Amino acid sequence: MALEHAILVSLLEKPGSGYELARRFERSIGYFWTASHQQIYRVLGRMEADGRLVVREVEQQGRPDKKEYSVAGPGRGALADWLHKPIEPESLRHDLAVKIRGAAFDDPAALIREVERHRRAHRDRLAHYLAGEARDFTGPEAPAPPDAGQELQHVVLRGGIAYERMTIAWLDDVLDTLHRLAGRAPGPAA
Amino acid sequence: MALEHAILVSLLEKPGSGYELARRFERSIGYFWTASHQQIYRVLGRMEADGRLVVREVEQQGRPDKKEYSVAGPGRGALADWLHKPIEPESLRHDLAVKIRGAAFDDPAALIREVERHRRAHRDRLAHYLAGEARDFTGPEAPAPPDAGQELQHVVLRGGIAYERMTIAWLDDVLDTLHRLAGRAPGPAA
DNA sequence: CGCTCCATGTAAACTGTTACATGATTGT
DNA sequence: ACAATCATGTAACAGTTTACATGGAGCG
């Protein structure tokens, strides 16, 4: 159900169309929640029908009209209810870890390329987060003093940065392990 | 689709029943993939129908009979195919981060209890992982030298440990931020 | 002419959660 | 007697992914 709440938070930060939300889910909100445009349009339709959102048709020049959504009273209430209700601490879903354990029944060396690819992706994501942090929070252009919303956005971004740094360090550990195993026995085991 | 692959890896490590798999998904495999028994039974049924698994009825004394599943040739092939196919680097799903950003439109101080609860859960999980590491890998009972499968299980567990440590440190950062905001403005903003 | 961006959606398949259901054994 | 553990499932619903579908504007 958290997609609904993520959309409410994003629209409270700034109203926008389904398309714009989809873009945000590739960027800032996407640091901790992902959603495709198909999902977003469906949920927006439902939330508008439920009275949590209001739409405004916006005519544009040189591009298609868009529907700008913003949060209505009941939407704000639904978000407040959810914020006050405890949630379960997350459990991870990590495909790559499944692959690493699966490598025991295949060739561990064959995984090295894949792990390196993931390491590059995480390194790029870290660079992207750090650039965003400098632009919005720590650089000379950043607003001083920051308001509560900016402080909270920043602490979430610091979480993303910590996650990427941790992941890169772990992938280095994985690569070391795979190289050691590849040196030891160069074929499929088991 | 990774539940299927996680089941294949687990059954290659050791054949077992749906019930036993559900237990493993609360423990070792559960460090990086979760699944309920309902899901597991459904997928086991499908995989057996597809010829990826074979079942053996095992009579037991003092407890109900069970169906012991093990991986068939096509199952091993399906796993190998998946292992050689690149996967997308994961994107996070972190409800708590949605809540933290949402707190800008509610009372940040009201989130402190919830964050503390999550911190305790992660601290407990870390202790559990560390106990498992000592028991299976670094303690005096651990097999020496470890085989490839154990090395790979260990590196995945180290990833879980690093994740929990990072998360605890981040939650401390979040708590500092919330305390600072609570001291500054004691009501809902926006 | 083809590519990317803007903007919106539908449909089908699959995955995951919640609730319900049964029945024996072991321990308190 | 009651609760927990072992063991297996069904059914309904909610959420997610993948594929299909349309169409204009601007750039090289």
mmCIF file of all heavy atoms in Angstrom, chain B residues 43-91:
data_model
loop_
_atom_site.group_PDB
_atom_site.id
_atom_site.type_symbol
_atom_site.label_atom_id
_atom_site.label_comp_id
_atom_site.label_asym_id
_atom_site.label_seq_id
_atom_site.Cartn_x
_atom_site.Cartn_y
_atom_site.Cartn_z
ATOM 1 N N VAL B 43 4.299 -22.493 -5.559
ATOM 2 C CA VAL B 43 5.408 -22.573 -6.508
ATOM 3 C C VAL B 43 5.951 -24.004 -6.590
ATOM 4 O O VAL B 43 6.280 -24.481 -7.676
ATOM 5 C CB VAL B 43 6.514 -21.567 -6.121
ATOM 6 C CG1 VAL B 43 7.728 -21.733 -6.996
ATOM 7 C CG2 VAL B 43 5.985 -20.147 -6.238
ATOM 8 N N LEU B 44 6.015 -24.702 -5.456
ATOM 9 C CA LEU B 44 6.473 -26.095 -5.483
ATOM 10 C C LEU B 44 5.566 -26.942 -6.377
ATOM 11 O O LEU B 44 6.058 -27.750 -7.185
ATOM 12 C CB LEU B 44 6.481 -26.678 -4.067
ATOM 13 C CG LEU B 44 7.625 -26.264 -3.147
ATOM 14 C CD1 LEU B 44 7.400 -26.819 -1.745
ATOM 15 C CD2 LEU B 44 8.974 -26.733 -3.686
ATOM 16 N N GLY B 45 4.244 -26.744 -6.246
ATOM 17 C CA GLY B 45 3.296 -27.490 -7.070
ATOM 18 C C GLY B 45 3.539 -27.236 -8.550
ATOM 19 O O GLY B 45 3.603 -28.169 -9.362
ATOM 20 N N ARG B 46 3.746 -25.965 -8.894
ATOM 21 C CA ARG B 46 3.959 -25.605 -10.293
ATOM 22 C C ARG B 46 5.271 -26.188 -10.806
ATOM 23 O O ARG B 46 5.335 -26.733 -11.911
ATOM 24 C CB ARG B 46 3.963 -24.084 -10.423
ATOM 25 C CG ARG B 46 3.939 -23.598 -11.852
ATOM 26 C CD ARG B 46 3.999 -22.083 -11.926
ATOM 27 N NE ARG B 46 5.253 -21.568 -11.392
ATOM 28 C CZ ARG B 46 5.390 -20.345 -10.855
ATOM 29 N NH1 ARG B 46 4.346 -19.537 -10.762
ATOM 30 N NH2 ARG B 46 6.552 -19.948 -10.403
ATOM 31 N N MET B 47 6.309 -26.083 -9.977
ATOM 32 C CA MET B 47 7.621 -26.550 -10.420
ATOM 33 C C MET B 47 7.658 -28.064 -10.583
ATOM 34 O O MET B 47 8.366 -28.590 -11.442
ATOM 35 C CB MET B 47 8.700 -26.102 -9.428
ATOM 36 C CG MET B 47 8.972 -24.613 -9.493
ATOM 37 S SD MET B 47 10.036 -24.056 -8.135
ATOM 38 C CE MET B 47 11.653 -24.542 -8.783
ATOM 39 N N GLU B 48 6.874 -28.766 -9.746
ATOM 40 C CA GLU B 48 6.830 -30.211 -9.900
ATOM 41 C C GLU B 48 6.076 -30.566 -11.178
ATOM 42 O O GLU B 48 6.508 -31.440 -11.938
ATOM 43 C CB GLU B 48 6.143 -30.844 -8.687
ATOM 44 C CG GLU B 48 6.426 -32.337 -8.590
ATOM 45 C CD GLU B 48 5.177 -33.129 -8.351
ATOM 46 O OE1 GLU B 48 4.291 -32.649 -7.594
ATOM 47 O OE2 GLU B 48 5.072 -34.228 -8.934
ATOM 48 N N ALA B 49 4.962 -29.853 -11.436
ATOM 49 C CA ALA B 49 4.199 -30.087 -12.661
ATOM 50 C C ALA B 49 5.063 -29.825 -13.896
ATOM 51 O O ALA B 49 4.932 -30.506 -14.913
ATOM 52 C CB ALA B 49 2.959 -29.190 -12.673
ATOM 53 N N ASP B 50 5.954 -28.840 -13.799
ATOM 54 C CA ASP B 50 6.831 -28.496 -14.924
ATOM 55 C C ASP B 50 8.044 -29.426 -15.037
ATOM 56 O O ASP B 50 8.861 -29.255 -15.936
ATOM 57 C CB ASP B 50 7.352 -27.054 -14.765
ATOM 58 C CG ASP B 50 6.244 -26.016 -14.900
ATOM 59 O OD1 ASP B 50 5.124 -26.401 -15.286
ATOM 60 O OD2 ASP B 50 6.491 -24.838 -14.615
ATOM 61 N N GLY B 51 8.193 -30.342 -14.098
ATOM 62 C CA GLY B 51 9.309 -31.278 -14.168
ATOM 63 C C GLY B 51 10.625 -30.742 -13.644
ATOM 64 O O GLY B 51 11.675 -31.351 -13.842
ATOM 65 N N ARG B 52 10.589 -29.573 -12.987
ATOM 66 C CA ARG B 52 11.828 -29.022 -12.436
ATOM 67 C C ARG B 52 12.193 -29.695 -11.120
ATOM 68 O O ARG B 52 13.345 -29.651 -10.695
ATOM 69 C CB ARG B 52 11.668 -27.509 -12.190
ATOM 70 C CG ARG B 52 11.633 -26.696 -13.450
ATOM 71 C CD ARG B 52 11.516 -25.220 -13.077
ATOM 72 N NE ARG B 52 11.833 -24.350 -14.184
ATOM 73 C CZ ARG B 52 10.992 -23.998 -15.142
ATOM 74 N NH1 ARG B 52 9.765 -24.446 -15.130
ATOM 75 N NH2 ARG B 52 11.370 -23.199 -16.123
ATOM 76 N N LEU B 53 11.196 -30.248 -10.440
ATOM 77 C CA LEU B 53 11.420 -30.902 -9.144
ATOM 78 C C LEU B 53 10.841 -32.315 -9.172
ATOM 79 O O LEU B 53 9.935 -32.595 -9.956
ATOM 80 C CB LEU B 53 10.723 -30.122 -8.018
ATOM 81 C CG LEU B 53 11.098 -28.659 -7.805
ATOM 82 C CD1 LEU B 53 10.275 -28.082 -6.664
ATOM 83 C CD2 LEU B 53 12.590 -28.518 -7.526
ATOM 84 N N VAL B 54 11.383 -33.167 -8.321
ATOM 85 C CA VAL B 54 10.746 -34.461 -8.088
ATOM 86 C C VAL B 54 10.365 -34.565 -6.608
ATOM 87 O O VAL B 54 11.041 -34.012 -5.748
ATOM 88 C CB VAL B 54 11.657 -35.647 -8.475
ATOM 89 C CG1 VAL B 54 11.762 -35.744 -9.982
ATOM 90 C CG2 VAL B 54 13.041 -35.519 -7.864
ATOM 91 N N VAL B 55 9.265 -35.274 -6.363
ATOM 92 C CA VAL B 55 8.773 -35.446 -4.992
ATOM 93 C C VAL B 55 8.975 -36.883 -4.556
ATOM 94 O O VAL B 55 8.906 -37.799 -5.372
ATOM 95 C CB VAL B 55 7.258 -35.190 -4.883
ATOM 96 C CG1 VAL B 55 6.902 -34.821 -3.450
ATOM 97 C CG2 VAL B 55 6.792 -34.175 -5.861
ATOM 98 N N ARG B 56 9.230 -37.043 -3.283
ATOM 99 C CA ARG B 56 9.286 -38.375 -2.692
ATOM 100 C C ARG B 56 8.455 -38.300 -1.410
ATOM 101 O O ARG B 56 8.681 -37.444 -0.568
ATOM 102 C CB ARG B 56 10.748 -38.718 -2.368
ATOM 103 C CG ARG B 56 11.032 -40.151 -2.048
ATOM 104 C CD ARG B 56 12.535 -40.389 -2.008
ATOM 105 N NE ARG B 56 13.175 -39.557 -0.988
ATOM 106 C CZ ARG B 56 13.425 -39.978 0.262
ATOM 107 N NH1 ARG B 56 13.118 -41.201 0.630
ATOM 108 N NH2 ARG B 56 14.000 -39.187 1.132
ATOM 109 N N GLU B 57 7.463 -39.183 -1.320
ATOM 110 C CA GLU B 57 6.640 -39.225 -0.097
ATOM 111 C C GLU B 57 7.468 -39.875 0.999
ATOM 112 O O GLU B 57 7.981 -40.972 0.826
ATOM 113 C CB GLU B 57 5.376 -40.057 -0.331
ATOM 114 C CG GLU B 57 4.378 -39.431 -1.274
ATOM 115 C CD GLU B 57 3.373 -38.503 -0.564
ATOM 116 O OE1 GLU B 57 3.295 -38.558 0.686
ATOM 117 O OE2 GLU B 57 2.700 -37.736 -1.267
ATOM 118 N N VAL B 58 7.608 -39.182 2.122
ATOM 119 C CA VAL B 58 8.392 -39.728 3.228
ATOM 120 C C VAL B 58 7.469 -39.964 4.420
ATOM 121 O O VAL B 58 6.853 -39.027 4.930
ATOM 122 C CB VAL B 58 9.527 -38.764 3.635
ATOM 123 C CG1 VAL B 58 10.304 -39.315 4.818
ATOM 124 C CG2 VAL B 58 10.462 -38.524 2.457
ATOM 125 N N GLU B 59 7.377 -41.246 4.820
ATOM 126 C CA GLU B 59 6.577 -41.554 6.014
ATOM 127 C C GLU B 59 7.390 -41.217 7.252
ATOM 128 O O GLU B 59 8.593 -41.477 7.308
ATOM 129 C CB GLU B 59 6.191 -43.033 6.028
ATOM 130 C CG GLU B 59 5.088 -43.347 5.022
ATOM 131 C CD GLU B 59 4.876 -44.847 4.863
ATOM 132 O OE1 GLU B 59 4.839 -45.546 5.894
ATOM 133 O OE2 GLU B 59 4.782 -45.304 3.696
ATOM 134 N N GLN B 60 6.693 -40.670 8.247
ATOM 135 C CA GLN B 60 7.396 -40.296 9.470
ATOM 136 C C GLN B 60 6.653 -40.867 10.679
ATOM 137 O O GLN B 60 5.468 -41.144 10.617
ATOM 138 C CB GLN B 60 7.477 -38.777 9.591
ATOM 139 C CG GLN B 60 8.256 -38.146 8.464
ATOM 140 C CD GLN B 60 8.468 -36.653 8.685
ATOM 141 O OE1 GLN B 60 9.583 -36.195 8.846
ATOM 142 N NE2 GLN B 60 7.394 -35.915 8.701
ATOM 143 N N GLN B 61 7.370 -41.036 11.756
ATOM 144 C CA GLN B 61 6.717 -41.505 12.977
ATOM 145 C C GLN B 61 6.496 -40.342 13.926
ATOM 146 O O GLN B 61 7.399 -39.560 14.171
ATOM 147 C CB GLN B 61 7.575 -42.579 13.671
ATOM 148 C CG GLN B 61 7.414 -43.938 13.035
ATOM 149 C CD GLN B 61 8.742 -44.648 12.846
ATOM 150 O OE1 GLN B 61 9.779 -44.131 13.260
ATOM 151 N NE2 GLN B 61 8.721 -45.816 12.231
ATOM 152 N N GLY B 62 5.285 -40.271 14.461
ATOM 153 C CA GLY B 62 4.966 -39.215 15.415
ATOM 154 C C GLY B 62 4.674 -37.891 14.767
ATOM 155 O O GLY B 62 4.410 -36.900 15.446
ATOM 156 N N ARG B 63 4.739 -37.843 13.461
ATOM 157 C CA ARG B 63 4.358 -36.615 12.781
ATOM 158 C C ARG B 63 3.856 -36.937 11.382
ATOM 159 O O ARG B 63 4.120 -38.028 10.866
ATOM 160 C CB ARG B 63 5.533 -35.630 12.729
ATOM 161 C CG ARG B 63 6.864 -36.246 12.430
ATOM 162 C CD ARG B 63 7.944 -35.200 12.306
ATOM 163 N NE ARG B 63 8.525 -34.824 13.590
ATOM 164 C CZ ARG B 63 9.565 -34.016 13.704
ATOM 165 N NH1 ARG B 63 10.103 -33.494 12.637
ATOM 166 N NH2 ARG B 63 10.075 -33.736 14.882
ATOM 167 N N PRO B 64 3.104 -36.009 10.805
ATOM 168 C CA PRO B 64 2.498 -36.288 9.492
ATOM 169 C C PRO B 64 3.545 -36.615 8.430
ATOM 170 O O PRO B 64 4.702 -36.180 8.536
ATOM 171 C CB PRO B 64 1.787 -34.979 9.141
ATOM 172 C CG PRO B 64 1.743 -34.165 10.377
ATOM 173 C CD PRO B 64 2.767 -34.671 11.303
ATOM 174 N N ASP B 65 3.114 -37.385 7.452
ATOM 175 C CA ASP B 65 3.992 -37.646 6.313
ATOM 176 C C ASP B 65 4.348 -36.326 5.645
ATOM 177 O O ASP B 65 3.639 -35.348 5.757
ATOM 178 C CB ASP B 65 3.273 -38.534 5.286
ATOM 179 C CG ASP B 65 2.979 -39.910 5.870
ATOM 180 O OD1 ASP B 65 3.430 -40.188 6.998
ATOM 181 O OD2 ASP B 65 2.289 -40.679 5.198
ATOM 182 N N LYS B 66 5.467 -36.341 4.959
ATOM 183 C CA LYS B 66 5.821 -35.124 4.241
ATOM 184 C C LYS B 66 6.218 -35.460 2.815
ATOM 185 O O LYS B 66 6.510 -36.608 2.491
ATOM 186 C CB LYS B 66 6.951 -34.398 4.954
ATOM 187 C CG LYS B 66 8.263 -35.165 4.976
ATOM 188 C CD LYS B 66 9.356 -34.320 5.582
ATOM 189 C CE LYS B 66 10.681 -35.092 5.593
ATOM 190 N NZ LYS B 66 11.750 -34.284 6.183
ATOM 191 N N LYS B 67 6.233 -34.431 1.985
ATOM 192 C CA LYS B 67 6.686 -34.586 0.600
ATOM 193 C C LYS B 67 8.056 -33.953 0.505
ATOM 194 O O LYS B 67 8.191 -32.739 0.652
ATOM 195 C CB LYS B 67 5.731 -33.875 -0.352
ATOM 196 C CG LYS B 67 4.330 -34.454 -0.377
ATOM 197 C CD LYS B 67 3.507 -33.699 -1.400
ATOM 198 C CE LYS B 67 2.046 -34.100 -1.294
ATOM 199 N NZ LYS B 67 1.189 -33.208 -2.105
ATOM 200 N N GLU B 68 9.049 -34.787 0.239
ATOM 201 C CA GLU B 68 10.394 -34.224 0.131
ATOM 202 C C GLU B 68 10.711 -33.925 -1.325
ATOM 203 O O GLU B 68 10.725 -34.825 -2.166
ATOM 204 C CB GLU B 68 11.422 -35.206 0.706
ATOM 205 C CG GLU B 68 12.756 -34.527 0.942
ATOM 206 C CD GLU B 68 13.820 -35.498 1.375
ATOM 207 O OE1 GLU B 68 14.274 -36.310 0.536
ATOM 208 O OE2 GLU B 68 14.197 -35.460 2.559
ATOM 209 N N TYR B 69 10.968 -32.655 -1.583
ATOM 210 C CA TYR B 69 11.260 -32.218 -2.941
ATOM 211 C C TYR B 69 12.765 -32.191 -3.169
ATOM 212 O O TYR B 69 13.531 -31.834 -2.281
ATOM 213 C CB TYR B 69 10.717 -30.810 -3.186
ATOM 214 C CG TYR B 69 9.212 -30.736 -3.228
ATOM 215 C CD1 TYR B 69 8.478 -30.532 -2.068
ATOM 216 C CD2 TYR B 69 8.536 -30.889 -4.436
ATOM 217 C CE1 TYR B 69 7.088 -30.462 -2.108
ATOM 218 C CE2 TYR B 69 7.151 -30.817 -4.483
ATOM 219 C CZ TYR B 69 6.432 -30.608 -3.315
ATOM 220 O OH TYR B 69 5.059 -30.543 -3.359
ATOM 221 N N SER B 70 13.167 -32.586 -4.379
ATOM 222 C CA SER B 70 14.553 -32.327 -4.762
ATOM 223 C C SER B 70 14.599 -31.887 -6.219
ATOM 224 O O SER B 70 13.631 -32.049 -6.963
ATOM 225 C CB SER B 70 15.431 -33.546 -4.498
ATOM 226 O OG SER B 70 14.769 -34.723 -4.829
ATOM 227 N N VAL B 71 15.740 -31.337 -6.601
ATOM 228 C CA VAL B 71 15.856 -30.700 -7.911
ATOM 229 C C VAL B 71 16.091 -31.746 -8.991
ATOM 230 O O VAL B 71 16.971 -32.595 -8.865
ATOM 231 C CB VAL B 71 17.012 -29.676 -7.900
ATOM 232 C CG1 VAL B 71 17.173 -29.031 -9.266
ATOM 233 C CG2 VAL B 71 16.780 -28.622 -6.836
ATOM 234 N N ALA B 72 15.307 -31.693 -10.063
ATOM 235 C CA ALA B 72 15.492 -32.575 -11.207
ATOM 236 C C ALA B 72 16.395 -31.887 -12.229
ATOM 237 O O ALA B 72 16.707 -30.698 -12.102
ATOM 238 C CB ALA B 72 14.138 -32.903 -11.823
ATOM 239 N N GLY B 73 16.804 -32.657 -13.239
ATOM 240 C CA GLY B 73 17.694 -32.130 -14.277
ATOM 241 C C GLY B 73 17.234 -30.805 -14.857
ATOM 242 O O GLY B 73 18.012 -29.835 -14.887
ATOM 243 N N PRO B 74 15.980 -30.722 -15.324
ATOM 244 C CA PRO B 74 15.501 -29.462 -15.906
ATOM 245 C C PRO B 74 15.531 -28.309 -14.905
ATOM 246 O O PRO B 74 15.714 -27.146 -15.306
ATOM 247 C CB PRO B 74 14.053 -29.778 -16.301
ATOM 248 C CG PRO B 74 14.011 -31.259 -16.436
ATOM 249 C CD PRO B 74 14.973 -31.798 -15.426
ATOM 250 N N GLY B 75 15.365 -28.619 -13.625
ATOM 251 C CA GLY B 75 15.431 -27.574 -12.606
ATOM 252 C C GLY B 75 16.824 -26.994 -12.525
ATOM 253 O O GLY B 75 17.019 -25.772 -12.459
ATOM 254 N N ARG B 76 17.809 -27.886 -12.538
ATOM 255 C CA ARG B 76 19.195 -27.436 -12.509
ATOM 256 C C ARG B 76 19.524 -26.607 -13.759
ATOM 257 O O ARG B 76 20.216 -25.591 -13.690
ATOM 258 C CB ARG B 76 20.108 -28.661 -12.457
ATOM 259 C CG ARG B 76 21.477 -28.391 -11.934
ATOM 260 C CD ARG B 76 22.261 -29.683 -11.877
ATOM 261 N NE ARG B 76 22.438 -30.133 -10.508
ATOM 262 C CZ ARG B 76 23.545 -29.875 -9.803
ATOM 263 N NH1 ARG B 76 24.536 -29.195 -10.343
ATOM 264 N NH2 ARG B 76 23.661 -30.316 -8.579
ATOM 265 N N GLY B 77 18.964 -27.042 -14.895
ATOM 266 C CA GLY B 77 19.162 -26.298 -16.142
ATOM 267 C C GLY B 77 18.558 -24.905 -16.067
ATOM 268 O O GLY B 77 19.174 -23.920 -16.472
ATOM 269 N N ALA B 78 17.341 -24.831 -15.508
ATOM 270 C CA ALA B 78 16.669 -23.537 -15.385
ATOM 271 C C ALA B 78 17.470 -22.602 -14.495
ATOM 272 O O ALA B 78 17.599 -21.411 -14.785
ATOM 273 C CB ALA B 78 15.258 -23.718 -14.821
ATOM 274 N N LEU B 79 18.035 -23.155 -13.421
ATOM 275 C CA LEU B 79 18.848 -22.330 -12.523
ATOM 276 C C LEU B 79 20.101 -21.829 -13.237
ATOM 277 O O LEU B 79 20.450 -20.651 -13.153
ATOM 278 C CB LEU B 79 19.238 -23.115 -11.265
ATOM 279 C CG LEU B 79 20.079 -22.327 -10.259
ATOM 280 C CD1 LEU B 79 19.298 -21.169 -9.673
ATOM 281 C CD2 LEU B 79 20.603 -23.239 -9.150
ATOM 282 N N ALA B 80 20.759 -22.744 -13.973
ATOM 283 C CA ALA B 80 21.976 -22.362 -14.696
ATOM 284 C C ALA B 80 21.685 -21.249 -15.702
ATOM 285 O O ALA B 80 22.440 -20.279 -15.810
ATOM 286 C CB ALA B 80 22.580 -23.581 -15.394
ATOM 287 N N ASP B 81 20.556 -21.384 -16.431
ATOM 288 C CA ASP B 81 20.171 -20.345 -17.394
ATOM 289 C C ASP B 81 20.041 -18.990 -16.698
ATOM 290 O O ASP B 81 20.529 -17.977 -17.189
ATOM 291 C CB ASP B 81 18.817 -20.682 -18.045
ATOM 292 C CG ASP B 81 18.930 -21.841 -19.003
ATOM 293 O OD1 ASP B 81 20.079 -22.231 -19.322
ATOM 294 O OD2 ASP B 81 17.894 -22.368 -19.436
ATOM 295 N N TRP B 82 19.363 -19.014 -15.566
ATOM 296 C CA TRP B 82 19.117 -17.763 -14.842
ATOM 297 C C TRP B 82 20.434 -17.176 -14.333
ATOM 298 O O TRP B 82 20.658 -15.965 -14.395
ATOM 299 C CB TRP B 82 18.156 -18.008 -13.682
ATOM 300 C CG TRP B 82 17.872 -16.790 -12.856
ATOM 301 C CD1 TRP B 82 17.139 -15.699 -13.233
ATOM 302 C CD2 TRP B 82 18.322 -16.547 -11.509
ATOM 303 N NE1 TRP B 82 17.092 -14.793 -12.196
ATOM 304 C CE2 TRP B 82 17.806 -15.278 -11.130
ATOM 305 C CE3 TRP B 82 19.077 -17.268 -10.589
ATOM 306 C CZ2 TRP B 82 18.038 -14.720 -9.871
ATOM 307 C CZ3 TRP B 82 19.302 -16.715 -9.336
ATOM 308 C CH2 TRP B 82 18.796 -15.453 -8.986
ATOM 309 N N LEU B 83 21.324 -18.059 -13.855
ATOM 310 C CA LEU B 83 22.605 -17.585 -13.326
ATOM 311 C C LEU B 83 23.433 -16.892 -14.400
ATOM 312 O O LEU B 83 24.192 -15.969 -14.102
ATOM 313 C CB LEU B 83 23.400 -18.749 -12.732
ATOM 314 C CG LEU B 83 22.914 -19.290 -11.383
ATOM 315 C CD1 LEU B 83 23.675 -20.548 -10.999
ATOM 316 C CD2 LEU B 83 23.055 -18.237 -10.292
ATOM 317 N N HIS B 84 23.276 -17.337 -15.651
ATOM 318 C CA HIS B 84 24.099 -16.763 -16.717
ATOM 319 C C HIS B 84 23.451 -15.545 -17.347
ATOM 320 O O HIS B 84 24.049 -14.885 -18.189
ATOM 321 C CB HIS B 84 24.378 -17.824 -17.782
ATOM 322 C CG HIS B 84 25.213 -18.950 -17.261
ATOM 323 N ND1 HIS B 84 26.462 -18.751 -16.742
ATOM 324 C CD2 HIS B 84 24.954 -20.269 -17.116
ATOM 325 C CE1 HIS B 84 26.950 -19.912 -16.321
ATOM 326 N NE2 HIS B 84 26.059 -20.848 -16.529
ATOM 327 N N LYS B 85 22.212 -15.249 -16.957
ATOM 328 C CA LYS B 85 21.500 -14.113 -17.520
ATOM 329 C C LYS B 85 21.657 -12.927 -16.587
ATOM 330 O O LYS B 85 21.425 -13.058 -15.391
ATOM 331 C CB LYS B 85 20.014 -14.467 -17.660
ATOM 332 C CG LYS B 85 19.328 -13.868 -18.870
ATOM 333 C CD LYS B 85 17.872 -14.370 -18.944
ATOM 334 C CE LYS B 85 17.101 -14.028 -17.678
ATOM 335 N NZ LYS B 85 15.742 -14.610 -17.629
ATOM 336 N N PRO B 86 22.068 -11.748 -17.131
ATOM 337 C CA PRO B 86 22.219 -10.597 -16.230
ATOM 338 C C PRO B 86 20.889 -10.170 -15.625
ATOM 339 O O PRO B 86 19.842 -10.308 -16.258
ATOM 340 C CB PRO B 86 22.767 -9.502 -17.149
ATOM 341 C CG PRO B 86 22.512 -9.957 -18.530
ATOM 342 C CD PRO B 86 22.438 -11.438 -18.504
ATOM 343 N N ILE B 87 20.930 -9.663 -14.406
ATOM 344 C CA ILE B 87 19.737 -9.113 -13.771
ATOM 345 C C ILE B 87 19.960 -7.634 -13.482
ATOM 346 O O ILE B 87 21.095 -7.163 -13.432
ATOM 347 C CB ILE B 87 19.395 -9.845 -12.448
ATOM 348 C CG1 ILE B 87 20.615 -9.883 -11.516
ATOM 349 C CG2 ILE B 87 18.867 -11.232 -12.716
ATOM 350 C CD1 ILE B 87 20.351 -10.431 -10.157
ATOM 351 N N GLU B 88 18.871 -6.915 -13.320
ATOM 352 C CA GLU B 88 18.941 -5.497 -12.986
ATOM 353 C C GLU B 88 19.441 -5.295 -11.562
ATOM 354 O O GLU B 88 18.944 -5.966 -10.649
ATOM 355 C CB GLU B 88 17.551 -4.870 -13.087
ATOM 356 C CG GLU B 88 17.110 -4.582 -14.503
ATOM 357 C CD GLU B 88 18.071 -3.643 -15.204
ATOM 358 O OE1 GLU B 88 18.254 -2.519 -14.724
ATOM 359 O OE2 GLU B 88 18.640 -4.051 -16.234
ATOM 360 N N PRO B 89 20.387 -4.371 -11.356
ATOM 361 C CA PRO B 89 20.732 -4.006 -9.978
ATOM 362 C C PRO B 89 19.469 -3.545 -9.250
ATOM 363 O O PRO B 89 18.656 -2.816 -9.817
ATOM 364 C CB PRO B 89 21.715 -2.852 -10.163
ATOM 365 C CG PRO B 89 22.311 -3.075 -11.503
ATOM 366 C CD PRO B 89 21.218 -3.682 -12.335
ATOM 367 N N GLU B 90 19.315 -4.012 -8.026
ATOM 368 C CA GLU B 90 18.070 -3.793 -7.289
ATOM 369 C C GLU B 90 17.799 -2.321 -7.061
ATOM 370 O O GLU B 90 18.699 -1.522 -6.934
ATOM 371 C CB GLU B 90 18.120 -4.392 -5.872
ATOM 372 C CG GLU B 90 19.154 -5.406 -5.657
ATOM 373 C CD GLU B 90 18.618 -6.734 -6.048
ATOM 374 O OE1 GLU B 90 17.482 -7.016 -5.654
ATOM 375 O OE2 GLU B 90 19.313 -7.456 -6.777
ATOM 376 N N SER B 91 16.528 -2.025 -6.930
ATOM 377 C CA SER B 91 16.168 -0.726 -6.381
ATOM 378 C C SER B 91 15.460 -0.989 -5.057
ATOM 379 O O SER B 91 14.720 -1.940 -4.911
ATOM 380 C CB SER B 91 15.290 0.034 -7.358
ATOM 381 O OG SER B 91 14.503 -0.872 -8.089
#
